Amino acid sequence: MTDEYRRDTRLVRAGLERSQFQETSEAMFLNSGYVYDSAEEAAAAFAGEADRFVYSRYGNPTVSMLQTRLAALEGAEACLATGTGMAGVFAALACQLDKGDRVVASRALFGACYAILNDILPRWGVTTEFVDGTDLDQWRAALATPAKLVFFESPSNPMLDLVDIPAVAEMAHAAGALVVIDNVFATPIAQKPLELGADIVIYSATKHIDGQGRVLGGAVLADEEFIKERMLKFYRQTGPTISPFNAWVLLKSLETLALRVDRQAASAASLAGWLESRPDIAGLRYPGLPSHPQHELAKRQMSNGGTLLSFTLAGGKDEAFRVLNALRLIDISNNLGDSKTLACHPGSTTHSSISAEERAGMGIADGSIRLSVGLEDLEDLKADLDQALGRG
Ligand SMILES: *Cc1c(COP(=O)(O)O)cnc(C)c1O
């Protein structure tokens, strides 16, 4: 399946395993356990001699179909689906880090990822050195010392800074480190980290992969050796497993992922260009626009500019709040990747727990608004932003 067909065919069909009832759509196996024909069969399953399901914390047919489809989409050898994106991040890191290990990470991370590296792992003797992910000199300096892992997000939340994936992967590998990337903002449609040199790719499937505000989910994709030899044991014992119901929803979501992301990215590009030319916008970040400081890099490693953009209003927080409150169609929400267009003020929501100084260091101003562009008619989105911005 994986090698024979192209991406859009894989999104609809990869992993499908029909039961004896020959159902068209993937079946939902909402079972926790499995039965055996004999005590010998149970013993063989536990001895690892029989390839079969034994308990849904370890594996389930619907979850397995999702994992196969995600791996086929990503071009990865193997995948483990998790209950949330954060369960995936934590399991992928914790399954391979030992006391005394060193991680090098980009500072511009999703808040909970930052907390794992900055608060939780240090309690177990794992240290992280944070760098400015856009600055190759900082990566080079940090990776002059051996490290176990490199972790980053590209584009980053919310200012859409990029990390040069091939360049950082080369330095990481020379330092003995595996490269772990949180590819949520780019989506598996716009960026292929494994082809660019990364080793482990993580998704919050809650975002674009579901993309319709329904379920939480996550995924970790890598080679067989990492998934089967390293992560699976940790996963079985600690239980970050996804519910088969959520896996089924995500299987259906994948069928339309490319359609949705392509349309959302096209709308985001159009809105970004239109917003940038308005006099009330003090600054705008969108990797697909030539004004983005890393636009050339975006063109090299992404196939579109993504579905998110950030803009800054000169009037600071008061003006940002006024504009958000004036929106009629676009919702105020910290979620992203949804078919509904969502706007948020990172300074008082997603990034409120970090200091004003750190926010400024990440380029987040008091007047910054992050926009996750959905599937509504572009003209309706423009009209809504126009009336909200215009009422000064
Ligand atoms: C949402 C998000 C996560 C966490 O995913 P959950 O499914 O909410 O646990 C991690 N990284 C990024 C970049 C995200 O946007």
Side-chain angles (χ1 to χ4, degrees):
M1 183 78 224
T2 306
D3 299 332
E4 197 180 347
Y5 295 106
R6 293 169 183 81
R7 184 198 69 192
D8 291 353
T9 307
R10 296 178 194 179
L11 279 169
V12 178
R13 289 182 174 269
L16 172 57
E17 282 199 57
R18 295 199 165 105
S19 78
Q20 72 272 32
F21 300 116
Q22 295 288 79
E23 60 282 353
T24 310
S25 170
E26 299 72 17
M28 205 193 294
F29 289 92
L30 289 179
N31 62 305
S32 49
Y34 304 84
V35 299
Y36 307 89
D37 285 335
S38 65
E40 287 77 11
E41 194 188 337
F46 274 77
E49 290 156 10
D51 185 19
R52 52 157 294 161
F53 294 108
V54 295
Y55 189 51
S56 284
R57 166 150 48 79
Y58 301 2
N60 167 281
T62 308
V63 173
S64 170
M65 286 191 263
L66 173 66
Q67 291 173 163
T68 305
R69 187 166 298 174
L70 283 167
L73 165 64
E74 195 68 40
E77 286 176 10
C79 171
L80 277 172
T82 53
T84 64
M86 287 322 303
V89 171
F90 185 68
L93 297 179
C95 77
Q96 54 178 328
L97 288 167
D98 296 311
K99 189 173 163 189
D101 279 344
R102 182 171 172 269
V103 178
V104 178
S106 158
R107 197 170 292 117
L109 290 179
F110 185 72
C113 298
Y114 185 78
I116 287 177
L117 292 169
N118 197 51
D119 302 334
I120 298 173
L121 292 175
R123 302 205 322 253
W124 300 333
V126 174
T127 54
T128 297
E129 179 173 346
F130 291 99
V131 299
D132 172 352
T134 65
D135 185 347
L136 287 178
D137 289 336
Q138 289 197 23
W139 284 110
R140 195 170 294 114
L143 290 166
T145 309
K148 183 79 168 274
L149 285 184
V150 158
F151 185 88
F152 60 85
E153 209 177 292
S154 180
S156 69
N157 178 29
M159 296 317 285
L160 308 163
D161 289 324
L162 308 188
V163 173
D164 185 331
I165 302 171
V168 171
E170 199 182 320
M171 291 183 223
H173 293 152
L178 288 181
V179 176
V180 185
I181 176 169
D182 178 339
N183 203 39
V184 169
F185 269 52
T187 81
I189 302 302
Q191 182 165 273
K192 295 281 189 216
L194 297 176
E195 291 172 12
L196 295 164
D199 301 291
I200 299 164
V201 184
I202 304 177
Y203 290 102
S204 163
T206 316
K207 310 297 166 55
H208 303 80
I209 292 177
D210 173 41
Q212 289 149 88
R214 302 170 299 190
V215 297
L216 296 166
V220 180
L221 298 119
D223 61 16
E224 288 258 354
E225 193 193 330
F226 176 78
I227 297 289
K228 301 254 157 76
E229 309 301 326
R230 269 273 163 195
M231 190 169 156
L232 185 59
K233 191 172 168 206
F234 183 92
Y235 178 99
R236 287 176 166 214
Q237 289 167 343
T238 61
T241 316
I242 189 170
S243 139
F245 175 79
N246 289 5
W248 180 83
V249 172
L250 294 172
L251 272 164
K252 306 315 291 172
S253 312
L254 282 173
E255 296 181 358
T256 58
L257 178 69
L259 290 173
R260 287 183 285 108
V261 168
D262 285 346
R263 164 75 184 271
Q264 287 170 248
S267 292
S270 175
L271 278 179
W274 172 78
L275 279 168
E276 192 173 47
S277 66
R278 289 182 62 106
D280 39 9
I281 304 292
L284 183 139
R285 279 293 184 91
Y286 182 66
L289 282 185
S291 60
H292 190 286
Q294 296 165 297
H295 179 59
E296 288 308 314
L297 176 60
K299 284 201 291 192
R300 284 205 301 277
Q301 65 187 25
M302 296 172 73
S303 62
N304 65 45
T307 70
L308 287 116
L309 60 96
S310 292
F311 58 91
T312 298
L313 299 163
K317 181 179 166 186
D318 289 348
E319 178 66 358
F321 273 36
R322 189 198 63 71
V323 169
L324 287 173
N325 290 335
L327 292 167
R328 293 178 190 152
L329 174 66
I330 297 169
D331 291 302
I332 301 171
S333 174
N334 48 288
N335 204 358
L336 62 99
D338 202 271
S339 57
K340 293 181 172 59
T341 299
L342 307 173
C344 81
H345 180 251
S348 59
T349 59
T350 54
H351 291 68
S352 59
S353 63
I354 62 174
S355 70
E357 205 174 43
E358 280 178 292
R359 275 200 298 276
M362 290 166 73
I364 308 171
D366 290 343
S368 296
I369 288 177
R370 186 190 77 191
L371 195 66
S372 167
V373 180
L375 290 173
E376 301 94 336
D377 189 289
L378 183 57
E379 294 311 313
D380 288 335
L381 294 175
K382 276 188 190 163
D384 194 31
L385 286 163
D386 194 41
Q387 64 82 24
L389 287 163
R391 278 199 226 153

